[in-house]
Amino acid sequence: MLFAIDHGNSAVKTTNFVFTSGLAEYPVKPPLQTDVLEWGGKFWALSGQRISFMRDKTRDDRFFILSLIHISEPTRLLSI
């Protein structure tokens, strides 16, 4: 299975969806947040505040986590 994902510095784009390349990290599951991904002992949710410019997006797991969010919940993201 292939997933076409463009990891831009301001937005993550797919053939059907686009969302801001921003993540919020939580040490525990946030009680009011509905779309949360648990990864690496932390909880992650999409954020409107984008990740600052990264030339090498493999320096940490944030863009990988954005990919996991897209793969796990594609119908909840903004349709373009």
Side-chain angles (χ1 to χ4, degrees):
M1 183 176 284
L2 296 175
F3 293 96
I5 302 173
D6 175 9
H7 289 111
N9 276 298
S10 63
V12 176
K13 299 166 285 296
T14 70
T15 54
N16 298 312
F17 302 99
V18 63
F19 55 96
T20 302
S21 61
L23 281 175
E25 175 186 341
Y26 302 98
V28 296
K29 185 174 181 180
L32 301 177
Q33 188 77 24
T34 56
D35 297 327
V36 178
L37 175 74
E38 184 177 2
W39 177 262
K42 298 176 186 170
F43 294 88
W44 303 88
L46 292 177
S47 164
Q49 180 67 33
R50 72 180 184 92
I51 298 169
S52 60
F53 175 79
M54 292 176 65
R55 184 174 303 279
D56 179 7
K57 296 179 180 108
T58 62
R59 280 191 312 184
D60 58 33
D61 286 340
R62 291 181 290 178
F63 281 91
F64 176 69
I65 292 167
L66 286 169
S67 297
L68 293 178
I69 289 172
H70 168 68
I71 292 166
S72 65
E73 296 287 345
T75 59
R76 295 183 188 234
L77 304 177
L78 272 178
S79 178
I80 58 170

